[in-house]
Amino acid sequence: GVMERLGLGPEVLLQENPRLIYARLTGFGQTGKYAKSAGHDINYLAVSGVLSKLGRKDENPYAPVNLLADFAGGGVMCALGIVTALFERARSGRGQVIDASMVEGVAYLSSFLWKSQNLGLWSQPRGENLLDSGAPFYETYRTSDGKFMAVGAIEPKFYSQLIKGLGLNLDELPAQMSFSDWPEMKKKFASIFAQKTQAEWCSIFDSTDACVTPVLSFDDAASHQHHKERNSFIKNDQGEISPRPAPVLSRTPAVPSCKRDPFIGEHTEEVLLEYGFTKQEIAKLHSDEVIEFKNLKANL
């Protein structure tokens, strides 16, 4: 209701410009019992049903920071909605309003979980299934130097390479999909991974298809050979490292800025002047606290 109180709701603006695409990104959506309730990523994740699937056996569900509902179910799905509306407008010439709910966005993002319930992938309690840390071959393991390796050897041909790299004999082990043996196999794998450093395990698995990779810290990820060869991370003029824009387009790739992030209000005046506002109008907006300035020059 904030935009309506300002007289800038979609009904008003679409009358001014019927081609306008008006995106409304909220936690719970524009209607429904929780529509006007406050919330954060963890709440949207909880109401979507997805949070109930996240966590280890005998532990509370946990939210993976605020990536899933805020950024994936919210930002990315809203952006996809805008792209879809732009595509439709190219045919109809008309804009529309996008009701982007983070709850519904992350629920839709989890369609695989809903659609695969009857395939046996999620038939066990949380933390005991194939992809939620139940399987010994889809898990993380601590190394002797306190770091971790990630294992995702689901397919038999990958699993056999995992077993070989661990120095075990496949014929002497229980069947890969023997659920009852998974807890003991996890203990066995954990004891073996704990005997070598992360670097030593990388030297064993890097040239294989065992689906075993190091769990890299931010610093290690940015300096890793694979990422350096692809220029996956960039550094700005302040020495700050961040991911390069993705995905990479062949003909019109993004050209990332290597300047520091702007301060709030740093370019307010020049942007508004570019769009035709007078200095007097800008001063009035500032005095009314509608906009903010960041004066980078010393006041002597």
Side-chain angles (χ1 to χ4, degrees), residues 27-28 34 38-49 51 63 69 103 106:
F28 295 109
Y34 291 154
H40 279 295
D41 180 282
I42 194 170
N43 307 115
Y44 312 139
L45 203 57
V47 175
S48 75
L51 185 57
V103 172
V106 75

Side-chain angles (χ1 to χ4, degrees), residues 116-233:
S116 61
Q117 286 187 98
N118 297 326
L119 299 180
L121 293 177
W122 312 105
S123 57
Q124 302 300 313
R126 181 178 62 250
E128 298 181 36
N129 297 280
L130 181 69
L131 301 177
D132 63 0
S133 79
F137 48 85
Y138 204 87
E139 178 60 290
T140 57
Y141 294 99
R142 183 184 292 271
T143 58
S144 64
D145 53 347
K147 298 182 180 182
F148 295 89
M149 297 297 289
V151 177
I154 298 176
E155 291 80 0
K157 62 181 180 181
F158 301 152
Y159 182 71
S160 65
Q161 294 196 45
L162 165 67
I163 296 304
K164 180 181 177 182
L166 292 176
L168 297 171
N169 188 333
L170 197 61
D171 296 332
E172 298 173 357
L173 298 175
Q176 180 184 355
M177 298 306 292
S178 176
F179 297 99
S180 61
D181 291 302
W182 280 3
E184 278 305 311
M185 290 298 292
K186 287 179 73 169
K187 291 179 183 178
K188 181 184 288 287
F189 288 3
S191 67
I192 295 174
F193 272 108
Q195 295 171 16
K196 290 182 172 62
T197 66
Q198 185 187 73
E200 288 173 327
W201 285 119
C202 286
S203 68
I204 291 172
F205 285 113
D206 271 1
S207 59
T208 73
D209 279 336
C211 301
V212 179
T213 51
V215 177
L216 300 175
S217 67
F218 272 21
D219 288 340
D220 290 339
S223 60
H224 192 273
Q225 180 184 352
H226 176 80
H227 298 311
K228 289 171 71 172
E229 290 174 359
R230 287 183 54 81
N231 297 314
S232 300
F233 292 86

Side-chain angles (χ1 to χ4, degrees), residues 245-256:
V248 181
L249 305 185
S250 65
R251 187 169 51 81
T252 58
V255 181

Side-chain angles (χ1 to χ4, degrees), residues 24 27 73:
R24 313 199 81 167

Side-chain angles (χ1 to χ4, degrees), residues 1-46:
V2 175
M3 295 300 282
E4 280 80 1
R5 290 197 295 274
L6 294 171
L8 297 172
E11 293 80 7
V12 174
L13 297 187
L14 281 164
Q15 281 186 356
E16 291 285 327
N17 179 8
R19 290 176 54 83
L20 185 67
I21 292 164
Y22 195 113
R24 313 199 81 167
L25 175 58
T26 59
F28 295 109
Q30 295 297 315
T31 57
K33 177 180 178 179
Y34 291 154
K36 296 188 178 180
S37 300
H40 279 295
D41 180 282
I42 194 170
N43 307 115
Y44 312 139
L45 203 57

